[in-house]
């Protein structure tokens, strides 16, 4: 059983990374899609109860934001893996600008998330932690975190 938690600003590539690496194996828990914390909590609890692998595809900028998932997954015996997406504000704004009109995030919201972003640490409860960058050709470069 694995819980994967993404950490990164909007436009950093999290959802694309999910589609590329986890689409066929993990349920996606995404607040933008589910719209309310209540729905998100119901899906999260269902995954935990069923022993279903899942990915939390949200910004999760603070330690407190991440703890709601880590605590529940840890209590159920899940292995917890974190992916920290490089907070490249310029790249994120460029990718955001390429989104369809109705899917773009306000620039101010991206900048605000960047200001709140706290780099994750294994001490939060992660079994593994990786750093993700988007390469020049759009591919994902993943390295084990040095933390």
């Amino acid at each position: 059983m694995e819980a994967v938690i993404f950490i990164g600003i909007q436009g950093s590539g999290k959802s694309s990374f999910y589609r590329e690496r986890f689409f066929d194996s993990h349920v996606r828990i995404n607040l933008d899609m589910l719209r309310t914390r209540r729905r998100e909590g119901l899906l999260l609890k269902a995954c935990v109860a069923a022993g279903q692998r899942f990915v939390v595809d949200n910004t999760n900028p603070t330690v407190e934001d991440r703890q709601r998932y880590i605590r529940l997954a840890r209590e159920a015996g899940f292995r917890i893996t974190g992916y920290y997406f490089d907070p490249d504000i310029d790249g994120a704004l460029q990718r955001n600008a390429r989104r369809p009109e109705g899917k773009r995030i306000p620039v101010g919201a991206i900048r605000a998330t960047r200001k709140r972003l706290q780099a994750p640490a294994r001490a939060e409860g992660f079994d593994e932690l990786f750093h993700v960058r988007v390469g020049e050709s759009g591919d994902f470069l993943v390295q084990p975190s040095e933390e």
Side-chain angles (χ1 to χ4, degrees):
M1 298 183 300
E2 180 185 36
V4 175
I5 300 173
F6 289 170
I7 302 111
I9 62 177
Q10 303 92 325
S12 60
K14 296 179 307 297
S15 295
S16 295
F17 189 76
Y18 167 80
R19 284 189 295 275
E20 183 178 294
R21 305 273 175 112
F22 297 103
F23 181 82
D24 292 327
S25 59
H26 292 62
V27 168
R28 180 177 179 232
I29 298 175
N30 176 268
L31 192 55
D32 291 338
M33 181 178 66
L34 295 167
R35 303 248 183 238
T36 69
R37 288 283 180 199
R38 180 182 170 284
R39 289 179 184 161
E40 179 193 54
L42 288 169
L43 183 55
L44 176 64
K45 287 176 186 169
C47 286
V48 168
Q52 170 62 51
R53 293 178 290 188
F54 64 89
V55 171
V56 180
D57 179 9
N58 293 332
T59 58
N60 299 311
T62 68
V63 172
E64 294 78 26
D65 291 323
R66 299 185 286 267
Q67 281 306 302
R68 78 169 47 98
Y69 312 109
I70 292 172
R71 198 172 311 116
L72 188 62
R74 175 71 57 216
E75 288 171 2
F78 278 69
R79 179 170 179 72
I80 302 168
T81 305
Y83 287 88
Y84 179 54
F85 290 75
D86 187 33
D88 169 20
I89 193 80
D90 293 332
L93 293 174
Q94 289 171 9
R95 284 185 290 279
N96 186 54
R98 290 192 300 264
R99 289 178 173 170
E101 185 71 34
K103 300 283 186 177
R104 291 187 194 136
I105 307 297
V107 171
I110 297 172
R111 292 188 188 282
T113 300
R114 174 63 183 105
K115 286 180 185 175
R116 294 179 50 231
L117 187 63
Q118 299 170 343
R122 285 173 83 75
E124 293 176 42
F126 292 104
D127 294 299
E128 287 187 290
L129 196 53
F130 296 93
H131 186 100
V132 181
R133 281 187 313 112
V134 177
E136 288 185 26
S137 62
D139 55 330
F140 292 103
L141 308 171
V142 181
Q143 298 177 326
S145 177
E146 295 180 12
E147 190 292 317

